[in-house]
Amino acid sequence: MHELPVTKSILNICEEEVKKHGMEKVIAINIRVGELTGLVPASIEYYFDIIAKGTVAEGAKINTKKIPINIECKDCGESFECRKGVYNCINCSSHNIKITGGREFLIDTLEMD
Ligand SMILES: [Zn+2]
């Protein structure tokens, strides 16, 4: 369960951004979560509802977009999206691969009022 610290950092960013832009509140938060982070969007929303109470982000809606796992083959250079658990090249079947996407967690945009 590492959603709670992540959720707290989202809230911190909301408060900073609202202050920075002279706004009053956050209406919606668009986040992107890599599949390899293991973060559960529903848990983030659950924690957010609780810890955002009484803050500038109370009642804000969280929209989550998943980032798929991306793999690059070190042998043939092929780059592709991977299904969970399958880590060999779709082009040459090599296991000599590196993961280039899916570990990200980022806030895309904040909608403020
Ligand atoms: Zn390959």
Side-chain angles (χ1 to χ4, degrees):
M1 289 311 250
H2 47 305
E3 279 86 358
L4 186 55
V6 166
T7 310
K8 279 183 179 154
S9 71
I10 297 174
L11 184 57
N12 285 341
I13 290 167
C14 286
E15 288 180 321
E16 278 168 24
E17 289 297 304
V18 163
K19 216 180 282 173
K20 201 157 84 183
H21 297 280
M23 304 300 247
E24 267 172 34
K25 59 179 181 164
V26 176
I27 304 163
I29 304 150
N30 300 311
I31 58 175
R32 293 209 279 164
V33 179
E35 273 188 44
L36 282 173
T37 61
L39 292 168
V40 181
S43 297
I44 295 176
E45 286 164 32
Y46 170 80
Y47 285 129
F48 196 80
D49 271 353
I50 297 169
I51 65 171
K53 277 219 167 72
T55 74
V56 294
E58 180 171 357
K61 190 175 172 2
I62 299 180
N63 304 309
T64 311
K65 222 202 261 166
K66 283 230 167 183
I67 303 174
I69 303 167
N70 246 288
I71 283 176
E72 198 184 289
C73 178
K74 288 182 185 169
D75 287 338
C76 73
E78 183 84 13
S79 180
F80 56 97
E81 229 174 72
C82 146
R83 276 186 302 126
K84 231 174 191 168
V86 183
Y87 291 101
N88 55 326
C89 177
I90 52 163
N91 185 44
C92 71
S93 302
S94 168
H95 289 275
N96 191 16
I97 49 110
K98 73 169 183 232
I99 293 169
T100 54
R103 291 200 185 97
E104 304 89 338
F105 170 79
L106 47 106
I107 297 181
D108 235 356
T109 51
L110 288 178
E111 289 165 36
M112 294 179 277
D113 209 1

